[in-house]
Amino acid sequence: MSDAITHYRQLRELTVDELAYVLRILDHPISADTLAEMERCARPVTVDDLVAISYALDTTPAVLLSHIPIDMPEPEGPLATGLPSDVDQTELRAWLEGKTTLDRESRVNWWKERAARLRVRSAHHEEQLQGAYAELRELGDLAFQEADAPPVQRLQWRIQDGEHALNQSEVALALTEHRLDNLREDA
């Protein structure tokens, strides 16, 4: 939680004093010193504090609760006390948001739905990318002759962005299908 508060405060480009000021305006005063203690893990965060801080940082309690520090090593156990050890950050967030429960059947169904959504996303990215490639082919030699022209550059950027998006969605789909297979095997 401490890293999440720090991360989202910095993401919003707020100092501890500025966040304390926003919280005071929201009628949930927390001093800058207390916020600093929360960020250092020297003071616990109450549920009321969590809700107010989440609102002040324009996020949700679920996001702050399921935040994993970027430099955190691969966890050797569960992300949170009392959870199955194989629950990952996305599934934890879905559970916190009430989108799934953590019984085996619900978890398998949640991962199946996630895989289906990722398949649709991959197909969409593939379709968009093929459209951009078709536009480039239509330009033919003109694309090479006018490579510096803004319309050609925008098309090349669309292709580059499309390739990246397709790659990312395919990786996410592969990881999701792997997770789903593991859950099915453990059943």
Side-chain angles (χ1 to χ4, degrees), residues 93-167:
R93 185 166 296 157
W95 176 68
L96 290 169
E97 294 172 348
K99 294 177 182 175
T100 186
T101 58
L102 293 180
D103 62 275
R104 180 71 54 202
E105 183 180 345
S106 294
R107 293 181 69 199
V108 167
N109 287 335
W110 185 81
W111 284 102
K112 280 182 189 176
E113 290 170 14
R114 182 173 169 80
R117 287 190 307 273
L118 287 168
R119 281 187 203 95
V120 169
R121 182 179 296 162
S122 287
H124 171 73
H125 290 310
E126 177 69 30
E127 184 178 304
Q128 296 294 314
L129 186 57
Q130 290 307 319
Y133 284 142
E135 286 180 46
L136 187 61
R137 281 191 301 275
E138 287 175 17
L139 291 174
D141 290 337
L142 185 62
F144 295 108
Q145 295 167 359
E146 300 292 328
D148 292 341
V152 175
Q153 286 182 334
R154 283 193 296 273
L155 182 56
Q156 290 171 340
W157 293 334
R158 270 184 45 213
I159 290 171
Q160 186 178 21
D161 290 346
E163 289 172 343
H164 178 74
L166 179 59
N167 185 4

